[in-house]
Amino acid sequence: MTGRLPALLAALGRRLPSERLADLVHHLNAAEGPDSPLLDRWSAGHPAAGLSVHLSMLRKAWRDESPQLPGAALALSLATAAAAEEGMDPPAELVVSGPTSPAIPVRLTSGIAVDVIRSARESLLIASFAAYGITEIVAELRAAAERNVRIDLLLEESTAAARAFSPLGEQVRIWHRTDGADHTSLHAKVIAADRHTALLGSANLTGRGLSRNVELGVILHDSRTVGRLVDHLRWLTGPDGLLRRA
């Protein structure tokens, strides 16, 4: 295989959870070529954000570059790449707010948050229950918007978290719970850059949460795990999710 096809296969393998990956391998094994209706049905049954687009790109590269290859060849490549990654421990780092200790090497939440935002090249997905006193974060988001990063903020409406980001105006998209989600609250705390890095933890986007409160978190660099997280957050903002544009 040459051209874009190997890279698209590898990226799809990293993106899919193991059960979906096994199902796709099964369908590829039965597909005679890129135009097989089996793949249309598989795509229709897996509506995760952007997945059908990714599969369409894969099928186009297959059609353009190696149409003679049977689906079984792609299935074997996909399964082999997934098996190679299974033995790798996803890299992760611990992060803290408040006092540090000599027990384990950690990084401070405030600095990590800035690093993750700066690492984004295409998109940022940020969720927080509360937000205030974060001048530096707002400045970093403005800089990200100016380099054409798409920014979505998933915020709890009852805490008026959106006010902290009002200086950004239309440079960001803000999402709140739908009217039908009155008995829930948006309590997640996440900063996800593209599909490669995510900061998860107990800290809200507040000055105290990022620096003085005793908070714990983890930063993930595993694109497969981060990709699943991004897909879930995107689903929350989709037609079947619990969030609406503010």
Side-chain angles (χ1 to χ4, degrees):
M1 278 183 265
T2 59
R4 299 174 62 236
L5 188 55
L8 287 167
L9 276 169
L12 191 59
R14 288 192 298 269
R15 178 172 189 172
L16 291 173
S18 56
E19 65 276 5
R20 289 191 181 183
L21 182 61
D23 191 37
L24 178 56
V25 167
H26 173 75
H27 280 73
L28 280 170
N29 267 316
E32 294 183 358
D35 297 314
S36 170
L38 288 172
L39 300 178
D40 293 327
R41 290 196 289 272
W42 187 89
S43 181
H46 296 80
L51 189 54
S52 61
V53 174
H54 194 140
L55 185 60
S56 294
M57 293 170 60
L58 174 68
R59 295 172 74 180
K60 183 179 186 304
W62 183 4
R63 191 181 301 112
D64 292 346
E65 298 170 8
S66 303
Q68 76 284 358
L69 286 178
L74 272 68
L76 179 60
S77 297
L78 194 57
T80 301
E85 287 205 8
E86 283 295 323
M88 300 174 61
D89 293 325
E93 298 177 63
L94 293 173
V95 296
V96 302
S97 299
T100 60
S101 77
I104 46 177
V106 293
R107 297 179 66 188
L108 294 175
T109 308
S110 54
I112 285 286
V114 168
D115 288 349
V116 174
I117 292 170
R118 288 178 178 175
S119 74
R121 293 295 174 265
E122 297 179 1
S123 66
L124 278 165
L125 268 169
I126 298 175
S128 189
F129 178 75
Y132 55 84
I134 47 170
T135 304
E136 183 180 16
I137 295 296
V138 171
E140 291 295 338
L141 291 179
R142 186 184 300 281
E146 289 173 353
R147 60 177 187 269
N148 296 317
V149 173
R150 172 186 172 183
I151 304 171
D152 289 280
L153 304 176
L154 286 53
L155 304 172
E156 174 58 33
E157 190 172 11
S158 66
T159 65
R163 291 179 185 171
F165 305 98
S166 58
L168 297 173
E170 295 184 358
Q171 289 181 303
V172 299
R173 305 196 310 173
I174 294 176
W175 301 83
H176 291 320
R177 288 177 290 126
T178 62
D179 294 336
D182 290 339
H183 300 294
T184 66
S185 63
L186 200 160
H187 209 251
K189 293 92 174 178
V190 178
I191 302 176
D194 301 328
R195 301 179 65 87
H196 56 70
T197 308
L199 170 62
L200 296 82
S202 60
N204 281 302
L205 284 178
T206 68
R208 292 180 63 88
L210 295 177
S211 58
R212 289 188 288 170
N213 290 350
V214 177
E215 309 277 3
L216 294 173
V218 64
I219 181 169
L220 302 175
H221 302 285
D222 171 29
S223 60
R224 189 169 181 180
T225 302
V226 174
R228 292 181 207 170
L229 171 65
V230 168
D231 285 342
H232 176 68
L233 295 176
R234 293 282 182 212
W235 176 85
L236 288 174
T237 65
D240 297 322
L242 300 176
L243 302 178
R244 58 173 171 79
R245 282 285 298 274

